[in-house]
Amino acid sequence: MSDRLIQLVANLEKVLGTRAQSIHTALGEVTVVVNAETYFETAVLLRDDPILAFEQLIDLCGVDYQEFRDGRWSGQRFAVVSHLLSIEHNWRLRVRVFASDDSYPLVSSITPVWNCANWFEREAFDFYGIIFDGHEDLRRILTDYGFIGHPFRKDFPISGHVEMRYDPELKRVVYQPVTIEAREITPRIVREEQYGGPA
């Protein structure tokens, strides 16, 4: 582990204390797992403490661990993973928080801390059904307004239940049962006779 990563881990331990459930390093990246109850408070500390100074949120996404490790995962099902950048110190951090209730996954919104989290949180809500407490405009962002379910959940049916199309005769969008035709999934490869050099 490099001196910079050692320093980052030491700074995280000093600032976060018991708010961090775990801090670990793998493949040159630091990941901190935080409690759902202190998630918002932790985000403020990560941004405002001068020895950390994570000014920028790079990405935020939802994760469904239902089938993780071939179904041998025993922890909470839903998590929110954020990637942060400190421009001042030139280091990166991954922050993971698990929703405490699998049937109603709820974590705090960090949009007041990093306003670019707005659309990321809407996407995680849309695709995983994770609720962000305190988000001012939590609604679907990529699926249809009448869409039922959350398509990135591991238990969402692959074929779906209905498909949507515009009906020109009715002049409106209609839903109908899904029809999936069998298709060949092996790509056809065509090569020249001398491909790869002389035989």
Side-chain angles (χ1 to χ4, degrees):
M1 184 164 42
S2 71
D3 292 341
R4 291 181 51 71
L5 291 182
I6 292 170
Q7 184 62 50
L8 174 56
V9 170
N11 290 358
L12 288 167
E13 289 171 346
K14 179 180 178 183
V15 173
L16 299 183
T18 58
R19 291 178 193 88
Q21 290 180 329
S22 68
I23 300 172
H24 64 276
T25 305
L27 304 172
E29 296 181 353
V30 178
T31 302
V32 59
V33 179
V34 300
N35 296 312
E37 296 78 26
T38 60
Y39 178 50
F40 182 82
E41 177 186 346
T42 301
V44 172
L45 286 172
L46 290 169
R47 182 194 65 189
D48 294 345
D49 195 289
I51 67 171
L52 294 174
F54 285 100
E55 309 101 333
Q56 194 166 7
L57 173 75
I58 301 297
D59 188 24
L60 181 146
C61 63
V63 181
D64 183 354
Y65 284 92
Q66 183 179 24
E67 296 176 8
F68 186 60
R69 295 186 178 151
D70 295 325
R72 295 189 308 267
W73 175 255
S74 60
Q76 296 302 120
R77 177 176 174 184
F78 296 103
V80 174
V81 178
S82 306
H83 293 96
L84 307 177
L85 171 65
S86 172
I87 298 169
E88 180 180 339
H89 300 295
N90 192 24
W91 51 37
R92 294 174 183 267
L93 177 68
R94 179 183 298 118
V95 179
R96 182 180 293 125
V97 58
F98 286 92
S100 54
D101 183 1
D102 291 345
S103 62
Y104 188 74
L106 174 74
V107 298
S108 296
S109 172
I110 57 172
T111 302
V113 183
W114 296 284
N115 62 3
C116 64
N118 184 353
W119 283 32
F120 292 130
E121 289 180 350
R122 284 180 60 190
E123 183 180 56
F125 164 71
D126 192 1
F127 287 161
Y128 292 97
I130 299 171
I131 308 295
F132 291 90
D133 188 30
H135 194 288
E136 293 183 359
D137 189 22
L138 194 62
R139 58 191 163 98
R140 293 190 181 272
I141 192 169
L142 293 171
T143 59
D144 181 52
Y145 293 118
F147 190 85
I148 298 169
H150 304 284
F152 279 14
R153 286 189 175 191
K154 300 296 182 186
D155 54 2
F156 190 80
I158 293 174
S159 63
H161 300 290
V162 293
E163 62 185 358
M164 178 183 74
R165 67 173 181 82
Y166 180 78
D167 189 322
E169 292 176 10
L170 297 174
K171 298 187 181 191
R172 67 179 176 92
V173 173
V174 295
Y175 289 87
Q176 61 190 40
V178 172
T179 57
I180 299 177
E181 298 175 13
R183 62 182 187 258
E184 184 179 328
I185 59 172
T186 306
R188 183 172 173 230
I189 300 171
V190 178
R191 294 193 174 122
E192 303 87 29
E193 284 188 33
Q194 299 297 323
Y195 180 81

